[in-house]
Amino acid sequence: MDTVYSRALGGKTGAAGLIVLCALLFLVFPLTLDNFRLNLMAKYLSYSFVAIGLVLCWGYGGILSLGQGLFWGFGGYCMAAFLKLEAARNIAREAGTDQIRALTTVGLPDFMDWNQITQLPYIWYPFRSFPITIIMVFLVPTLLAYIIGLAMFKRRVIGVYFALITQALCWLMEILFVTRQGWTGGINGITDLRTCLGWDIRTKSAMVTLYFVTCICVVGCVVLGRLILASKLGRLLIALRDGEDRVRFSGYSVANQKTFIFCVAAAISALGGALFVFNVGFMSPKLVSIEPSIYMVIFCAVGGRYSLVGAVYGAILVNYGKTYFSEQFPNLWYYFMGAVFILVTRFFPRGLAGIVEDIIPWVQRRIAARLVRGRVPAKRPAPVTRLAVEEPVSGS
Amino acid sequence: MYMLATSWADLKAILIMQGFAGFGLFGVFLLMALGLAIIFGQMRVINMAHGEFLTLGAYTTVWCSHFVDHHGPWMLPYYYPVAIVLAFFVAAIVGYFVEILLVKYLYLRPLDTLLATWGVSLIIQQALRSIFGAREDSATLPDWLMGSWSPTDAIDIPKNAVYLLGIALAMLLLVYILLYRSKWGLSVRATVQNREMAGAVGINTKWTDRMTFALGCGIAGIAGAAFTTIGSVSPQAGSLYIVDTFIVVVFGGAGSILGTVLSAFGIAQAQSILEFFLSGVLAKIFVLLGVIVILMFRPQGLIASKVRR
Amino acid sequence: MATALAIEGLTVSFDGFKAVDNFSLSVDEGELRVVIGPNGAGKTTLLDLICGKTRRTSGTIRFKDRDISRMSEENIVDHGVGRKFQTPSVYPKLTVFQNLEISFPKGRGVWGSLFFRHSPDVTARVKEVAAEVHLEQKLHTMAEHLSHGQKQWLEIGMVLIADPQLMLLDEPVAGMSARERQQTADLLQRICVGRSVVVIEHDMNFVKQIAHKVTVMHQGKLLAEGSMDEVQNNQKVIEVYLGH
C-alpha cells in the first residue's frame, strides 16, 4: 500500500514513534510544564529543526555540514529584522519617556541610531512586509545552500573537506555579522522585539500559542522528512551515501541530488531559526557561530542520525542537559559534553533511536517469555525489509 | 583604511616589517599545520583537538617558566629549549593515549572522528581550565628571545619572530628527514600508500599510526611552546587557530609536506599584508574566501597526492 | 552489421606511464567481445575510459557515431552505456528490488526521483529483470546478504534494467561456482541480442563459451584479435601468457 499516508507514517513502528512524539508535545508537556518551562521547551524545539535537517542530509545523504548555524541564523535574522522594524515603528506609541522618544528615529532600529545611521539600509527594505519576510526566511538560506552545494558537489568536494569548508563559512558569517554593526546589530544582535503584526509576543498567552505553533511545525517537518525519505530520492540518498560512483554510473547527477537535500536541510533549519526568534525574542551572532553549529550536529547524533523523531528528542535532551548542568555543575558540563561526543560516535552511532530499536525486540522477547512461562523464545532474525542502519562504512 | 606611504622606501620597509611580523604567525601556523598534515595525510583523520595540543604545549612552557621563577631564576636563560622538548613529549603522550583509547576505533569513519576529537578538545580545555584557571597566563621569556633587531633605521624586526621561524624550519627539516630518510618514515609512507600491502610485508600499521598521531600532536605541542613567545596563553588559545589550520592543510593538499608549507606561507603572508591595508577582520575574510574559491576550482589543494586510492 | 563502438588510437598516460597505448577497437551491434590480457594490461582502464571515469590523453571514442570521450559519466550512461564494476558495487543497505528500481532509467532528475511512483510497469520490469538474473526469489533480500555470485548477477541486472546499447562487464564471473558460470554464460548470450557487450574475463573456458571475438591487450597495446581459436594459437599471445 503506497499511499501518501503510509509513506508519511513510515509503517507501524514509524507511526507509533510519531504518535508518541505528538502526545508528548501536544499533551504531556503543556499539561505538566509551567509557562516558563514551556517556553524553554519551545526554544529547544527551535533547535530541533536543524537536527531534523541533518538527519536528511547527514544521516541519509552522508553530507556532514558543520555550519548549519549559518542557515538557522539567516532565517532567524530575517525574522528578527521584520520584528525589529515593527518595534521601531511602534516605539513612538509605546509608553516611555519623552527623552527616549527624542533620541530615537521613528522607524529605525536602535542599533542603527547608535551607529549613526540615519536612513534604513536598502538591504532592510524587504523586511518591512510580513509576507516578503516569510519568503526571505526560506529563500535566502536555500539560495545560499544552493550556491554552496552546487559549487562544492559539482567539484566533488565531499566528506571532511566539505565539513571543514562549511565550518569556515559559518565562521565567516559570524565575523561578517559582528562587524557590520550598523546593519545587523553587531555582537549584541537584534534584541528587544515586541510585537508581530500588532500581536504582542511577550505575553504569557502568546508564549503558549507560539509553543503550539512550533510543535505543529516540528511535526510537519518530521512528516515532510518521512515523505522525502520514502520516495525514490530517499533510497537514492542511501545509495549515494554507500556508493557514490555507482549512483553516478546509473545515470544520476549526484551533485544535483546532494544539493537538493542540502537545500532542504537549510530551509528546515531556517524555519527553526525564525521560530527561535519568536520564542526567545532575539537573535545574535554568538548563536550561529562554530560552536553552536557543532552542538546542532550533536543533537542529531544523540537522538539518532537516522531517525527524524529521534532528532527532536536529541535536541530536547541535550539542550535540557545544558540548561540544567550549566546551572548546577558548570565545570562538569564540558566534561559531560565531551563524553557525549565520544560516546555517540564510538559506542552509539545510531543514537538513542538505535538504543530504542535494539531494546524493543529484547523487551518483546522478555514479555513473551513471561507469558509462555519459562521458555525464552529463540531470537528472531531482524526483519529484512526494514531500512537497515549503517555499520562503519569506508567513506570520505 | 589606506595609509598613504610617504615614499617608496617607507612602503618597502613597512612591507618587510609586516612580512616579518607575519613570520611569527607563520611559524605557529606552520608547526600546527605540519602536525595536522602528518595526521591527516597519514590516517585521513581530522583531529579537532589539535588546537588543544597547542594549548597543552603552551601551558607546559608556562609551567616551566613558573617553576623557574620560583625555584631558580638563574635557569631563566636556559629553560626555554628544555621547555620545548617537554612540550613535545607532554603533547605526544596525551596524543598517544587519545589514539589508543579513541581514534583507532574510528579509522573508517572520518566524519565521526571529527566529532569525537571535538569531544576530546572539550575535555582537554575544561581540564586545563580546572588546573590553570580560566584567565590568561604567560611565560617569562629569557632576554635573548625578547626585543627586536634593527638592520636599518626604518626596519625593526622582532627577535621572537625570527626564533620562531627558526624553530619551525628546524622542525620542518627534522620531519622531512624522519619521513623520507628513516626506516620508520618509510613504513609510514608505505602504510599511507597501501595499507594492506604494508601490513602484509610485516609493517605494524597500528603501531605506525599510533606513533604518527603522537608525532603530529607533539609537533602541535612545540607550536604551543613557540606560541608563548608571541602571545599569552588561555585554555581557549589553541581553538582560535584550529579553523585556520584546517584550511591551511586542506588548501595545501592532504599528505603533502611541501604543499602544507606553501599553503601556510601563502595564507599567513596574504593575511599579514592585507591586514596592513584593511582591518584585521576584513583581511581574514578576504583570505578565507579566496582560499575557498580556489579550493572549488582545485579541490585537491595546491599539491595533490599522487596516490591512486 | 552496424558498428556500435569505435575506438581509435586511444591513449591515456598517468605521469608518463601509458596505461592504454594507441589502442583501437571496433565492436558491432549484437556482438559479444571479450577482452583478455595479463594483469596490468590496461583492460579496466579501457572500460574506465569508455564510461568516462578517466579522461583520455588522445584518441577518439565513438559510440553510436557520437564522440563520448568528453561527456560526463551520467551523460554517457544516458546515452546508452552501462557498466558493471570489477568488485560488485551494489547498494548493500537496500533490497534487491530497491537496487533494481533505483537503476531504472525513469525519474533520474531530482524532482523525478522525488515524485517517482511505483507504477505497475516499473514493478513488472524489475521482476522481469530479476528473473533474468536468477534473483526472482530474492527480491526482498538485503543486497549485503547475497552471495558473491548473486551480487554479480544483481549488478548485471542493475545495468540491464536501464536497457543500454553497450554493456561493459568487468569480470562478471569472478568468484562464481561452475554452475553459476554456466548460468551467466547463458545469460550473457541472451542479453547480447540487440546490443553490444564488452566483457573482461580471465576464465578461458568461460571466454570460449561466450565470445564472438576476442581482443588481447598487453601493456596497454593491442596484441591480437580474432576468434578464440585464432587467438589461442597466436604465437605472441602464448609468449605473453606463458612467460614474461
Side-chain angles (χ1 to χ4, degrees):
Chain A
M1 207 186 53
D2 211 16
T3 66
V4 175
Y5 287 129
S6 77
R7 284 148 137 247
L9 291 180
K12 269 219 303 244
T13 35
L18 199 59
I19 291 178
V20 169
L21 181 71
C22 286
L24 267 178
L25 290 180
F26 291 107
L27 291 175
V28 176
F29 288 150
L31 293 175
T32 58
L33 298 174
D34 60 34
N35 270 338
F36 172 67
R37 279 185 221 288
L38 206 62
N39 182 249
L40 264 183
M41 185 60 65
K43 173 174 147 183
Y44 301 160
L45 286 173
S46 314
Y47 283 116
S48 71
F49 287 87
V50 186
I52 293 174
L54 278 169
V55 168
L56 292 173
C57 82
W58 177 39
Y60 284 93
I63 305 166
L64 177 61
S65 160
L66 292 177
Q68 289 301 89
L70 183 76
F71 307 119
W72 186 85
F74 257 114
Y77 263 103
C78 289
M79 189 51 79
F82 169 77
L83 294 174
K84 189 62 177 173
L85 280 177
E86 181 167 324
R89 272 198 303 274
N90 295 334
I91 211 154
R93 295 186 227 135
E94 291 257 327
T97 65
D98 286 321
Q99 209 174 19
I100 294 184
R101 263 178 256 154
L103 284 175
T104 57
T105 320
V106 173
L108 218 57
D110 44 17
F111 55 82
M112 291 194 191
D113 274 334
W114 303 334
N115 284 288
Q116 273 95 47
I117 294 183
T118 49
Q119 228 204 343
L120 195 69
Y122 287 125
I123 237 181
W124 275 70
Y125 274 42
F127 302 111
R128 292 182 300 185
S129 129
F130 191 65
I132 298 191
T133 303
I134 298 279
I135 295 178
M136 293 294 274
V137 162
F138 287 107
L139 187 64
V140 171
T142 309
L143 204 61
L144 229 82
Y146 184 73
I147 296 174
I148 297 174
L150 219 53
M152 295 278 156
F153 298 135
K154 274 258 185 292
R155 304 292 309 162
R156 315 257 173 112
V157 177
I158 53 168
V160 261
Y161 296 102
F162 183 79
L164 291 173
I165 290 185
T166 54
Q167 188 177 61
L169 286 170
C170 183
W171 193 37
L172 266 179
M173 181 204 174
E174 184 201 351
I175 295 177
L176 265 171
F177 271 59
V178 166
T179 50
R180 305 302 298 164
Q181 276 184 357
W183 287 4
T184 63
I187 202 162
N188 297 314
I190 303 183
T191 58
D192 199 23
L193 306 172
R194 298 162 189 208
T195 64
C196 174
L197 298 174
W199 177 54
D200 193 331
I201 59 174
R202 294 166 299 175
T203 66
K204 294 243 161 55
S205 67
M207 288 207 246
V208 173
T209 316
L210 284 169
Y211 167 80
F212 280 108
V213 169
T214 310
C215 289
I216 295 177
C217 290
V218 167
V219 173
C221 286
V222 168
V223 168
L224 177 69
R226 287 243 172 107
L227 283 172
I228 293 181
L229 289 178
S231 75
K232 189 173 173 194
L233 184 70
R235 288 191 282 286
L236 225 93
L237 287 175
I238 299 177
L240 258 178
R241 191 191 66 206
D242 293 335
E244 197 170 301
D245 273 341
R246 226 294 149 239
V247 173
R248 201 168 284 127
F249 287 109
S250 295
Y252 292 96
S253 165
V254 166
N256 289 347
Q257 316 280 355
K258 283 177 145 178
T259 307
F260 176 75
I261 205 69
F262 188 54
C263 288
V264 170
I268 296 182
S269 306
L271 177 61
L275 284 170
F276 179 88
V277 165
F278 271 115
N279 281 308
V280 180
F282 76 97
M283 176 56 70
S284 95
K286 274 287 151 245
L287 294 170
V288 307
S289 58
I290 294 182
E291 212 177 274
S293 296
I294 291 200
Y295 273 116
M296 294 173 187
V297 173
I298 279 299
F299 303 158
C300 180
V302 163
R305 69 186 86 160
Y306 306 105
S307 162
L308 293 158
V309 166
V312 180
Y313 291 124
I316 295 178
L317 274 168
V318 176
N319 273 300
Y320 174 72
K322 185 161 185 219
T323 317
Y324 176 71
F325 262 87
S326 307
E327 288 168 21
Q328 310 281 341
F329 312 107
N331 279 342
L332 278 189
W333 171 244
Y334 282 103
Y335 289 127
F336 182 66
M337 228 33 252
V340 167
F341 272 84
I342 295 175
L343 285 172
V344 125
T345 48
R346 163 90 178 85
F347 296 107
F348 302 112
R350 292 178 305 153
L352 285 172
I355 298 178
V356 167
E357 272 171 29
D358 286 341
I359 283 189
I360 285 186
W362 184 85
V363 166
Q364 282 175 332
R365 282 201 327 270
R366 284 277 169 273
I367 294 179
R370 284 286 158 77
L371 293 175
V372 172
R373 276 191 190 273
R375 280 213 326 135
V376 180
K379 190 169 173 179
R380 278 185 303 156
V384 172
T385 50
R386 197 182 81 209
L387 272 179
V389 250
E390 187 189 61
E391 316 293 330
V393 157
S394 64
S396 184
Chain B
M1 298 180 307
Y2 285 83
M3 262 165 68
L4 293 168
T6 49
S7 74
W8 172 241
D10 275 345
L11 185 63
K12 228 172 39 172
I14 289 171
L15 279 177
I16 293 180
M17 275 200 290
Q18 285 298 119
F20 269 101
F23 276 145
L25 196 65
F26 169 51
V28 176
F29 260 151
L30 184 62
L31 287 168
M32 281 277 275
L34 198 62
L36 196 68
I38 290 175
I39 295 177
F40 188 51
Q42 161 78 346
M43 302 180 291
R44 283 287 181 263
V45 165
I46 281 290
N47 180 17
M48 281 292 218
H50 205 68
E52 272 56 51
F53 288 100
L54 177 146
T55 319
L56 273 174
Y59 268 111
T60 308
T61 313
V62 168
W63 182 86
C64 284
S65 130
H66 287 329
F67 182 82
V68 158
D69 280 342
H70 286 143
H71 294 266
W74 57 269
M75 289 193 268
L76 188 60
Y78 310 109
Y79 89 94
Y80 194 71
V82 175
I84 294 184
V85 173
L86 214 62
F88 175 83
F89 278 109
V90 166
I93 292 174
V94 174
Y96 182 83
F97 281 110
V98 169
E99 205 279 343
I100 280 190
L101 295 172
L102 180 64
V103 174
K104 85 168 185 219
Y105 295 104
L106 296 171
Y107 274 146
L108 293 177
R109 299 187 273 152
L111 294 178
D112 282 355
T113 316
L114 208 148
L115 294 175
T117 47
W118 181 270
V120 171
S121 90
L122 287 179
I123 293 181
I124 295 181
Q125 263 192 43
Q126 184 59 32
L128 287 173
R129 211 170 285 135
S130 307
I131 301 177
F132 290 102
R135 281 174 327 178
E136 290 185 348
D137 207 347
S138 43
T140 349
L141 296 171
D143 278 330
W144 49 271
L145 261 181
M146 298 203 288
S148 57
W149 172 54
S150 308
T152 78
D153 269 339
I155 302 182
D156 234 348
I157 301 177
K159 272 195 207 163
N160 58 20
V162 179
Y163 279 111
L164 226 162
L165 191 61
I167 296 175
L169 290 176
M171 274 318 298
L172 195 63
L173 198 64
L174 216 69
V175 167
Y176 175 77
I177 294 176
L178 208 62
L179 268 184
Y180 287 94
R181 293 271 179 273
S182 82
K183 191 145 173 268
W184 177 76
L186 192 59
S187 59
V188 166
R189 285 182 288 134
T191 314
V192 170
Q193 292 182 21
N194 194 332
R195 189 170 280 269
E196 277 166 8
M197 217 37 225
V201 300
I203 294 178
N204 188 342
T205 54
K206 290 207 173 73
W207 179 246
T208 311
D209 289 338
R210 203 158 296 155
M211 285 292 114
T212 312
F213 194 83
L215 176 69
C217 293
I219 296 180
I222 297 185
F227 177 74
T228 57
T229 66
I230 61 174
S232 49
V233 187
S234 71
Q236 298 88 260
S239 57
L240 296 171
Y241 281 88
I242 197 78
V243 178
D244 286 301
T245 310
F246 286 137
I247 296 292
V248 164
V249 170
V250 169
F251 187 56
S256 160
I257 304 281
L258 180 62
T260 310
V261 174
L262 289 176
S263 165
F265 184 75
I267 292 181
Q269 283 305 323
Q271 201 166 313
S272 274
I273 293 181
L274 268 183
E275 248 170 29
F276 173 69
F277 294 106
L278 309 166
S279 72
V281 165
L282 268 183
K284 183 164 223 82
I285 293 180
F286 272 110
V287 171
L288 211 54
L289 272 177
V291 167
I292 291 180
V293 167
I294 296 180
L295 268 176
M296 287 204 234
F297 285 106
R298 198 182 154 80
Q300 62 270 46
L302 287 177
I303 301 197
S305 61
K306 300 217 168 93
V307 176
R308 248 187 88 187
R309 291 199 173 268
Chain C
M1 271 208 266
T3 306
L5 179 68
I7 298 179
E8 292 233 10
L10 188 62
T11 305
V12 73
S13 103
F14 298 119
D15 272 348
F17 168 67
K18 290 202 177 136
V20 172
D21 192 357
N22 200 17
F23 185 82
S24 298
L25 182 78
S26 170
V27 181
D28 293 328
E29 200 181 296
E31 179 183 339
L32 203 167
R33 175 75 61 101
V34 181
V35 177
I36 62 176
N39 278 326
K43 311 187 293 290
T44 303
T45 315
L46 176 67
L47 294 197
D48 283 346
L49 287 163
I50 299 176
C51 72
K53 193 156 179 243
T54 311
R55 292 259 165 269
R56 59 159 173 79
T57 314
S58 62
T60 59
I61 307 175
R62 296 188 78 83
F63 174 61
K64 289 199 295 197
D65 223 21
R66 266 190 77 176
D67 185 1
I68 60 171
S69 49
R70 266 197 291 258
M71 291 165 83
S72 70
E73 289 107 317
E74 45 269 25
N75 284 336
I76 295 182
V77 170
D78 258 343
H79 205 55
V81 178
R83 172 156 181 198
K84 182 207 149 313
F85 291 89
Q86 204 168 357
T87 37
S89 36
V90 296
Y91 306 121
K93 302 294 179 193
L94 297 175
T95 65
V96 169
F97 185 93
Q98 288 167 335
N99 267 271
L100 290 170
E101 182 203 34
I102 276 199
S103 315
F104 190 80
K106 262 270 208 56
R108 284 211 176 122
V110 166
W111 299 111
S113 58
L114 204 52
F115 296 107
F116 181 82
R117 288 278 174 271
H118 270 276
S119 60
D121 37 281
V122 175
T123 315
R125 177 96 182 110
V126 167
K127 289 196 175 143
E128 190 187 323
V129 172
E132 279 264 25
V133 294
H134 314 289
L135 287 175
E136 67 269 22
Q137 301 296 328
K138 300 263 179 196
L139 271 180
H140 297 291
T141 314
M142 215 39 97
E144 59 184 349
H145 294 141
L146 295 175
S147 75
H148 184 84
Q150 288 169 327
K151 282 186 190 156
Q152 303 265 47
W153 283 340
L154 175 58
E155 205 180 338
I156 294 178
M158 284 160 72
V159 177
L160 196 58
I161 199 170
D163 202 15
Q165 301 319 114
L166 173 64
M167 275 180 79
L168 308 170
L169 305 178
D170 203 337
E171 301 194 29
V173 295
M176 281 193 186
S177 67
R179 178 166 142 69
E180 285 170 334
R181 278 170 209 245
Q182 185 58 49
Q183 286 174 302
T184 312
D186 296 333
L187 168 65
L188 289 185
Q189 273 158 348
R190 278 200 306 272
I191 63 179
C192 77
V193 176
R195 53 174 73 93
S196 319
V197 181
V198 175
V199 175
I200 294 181
E201 242 320 315
H202 287 292
D203 179 355
M204 291 307 150
N205 286 329
F206 180 75
V207 173
K208 214 187 269 198
Q209 264 189 305
I210 59 167
H212 297 174
K213 228 165 132 187
V214 172
T215 300
V216 185
M217 275 183 90
H218 180 53
Q219 291 178 347
K221 301 204 228 321
L222 176 66
L223 186 64
E225 201 168 270
S227 73
M228 190 59 184
D229 283 328
E230 290 167 12
V231 158
Q232 274 189 316
N233 291 321
N234 184 306
Q235 196 56 38
K236 287 190 282 181
V237 174
I238 296 176
E239 262 174 45
V240 154
Y241 263 108
L242 291 179
H244 284 280

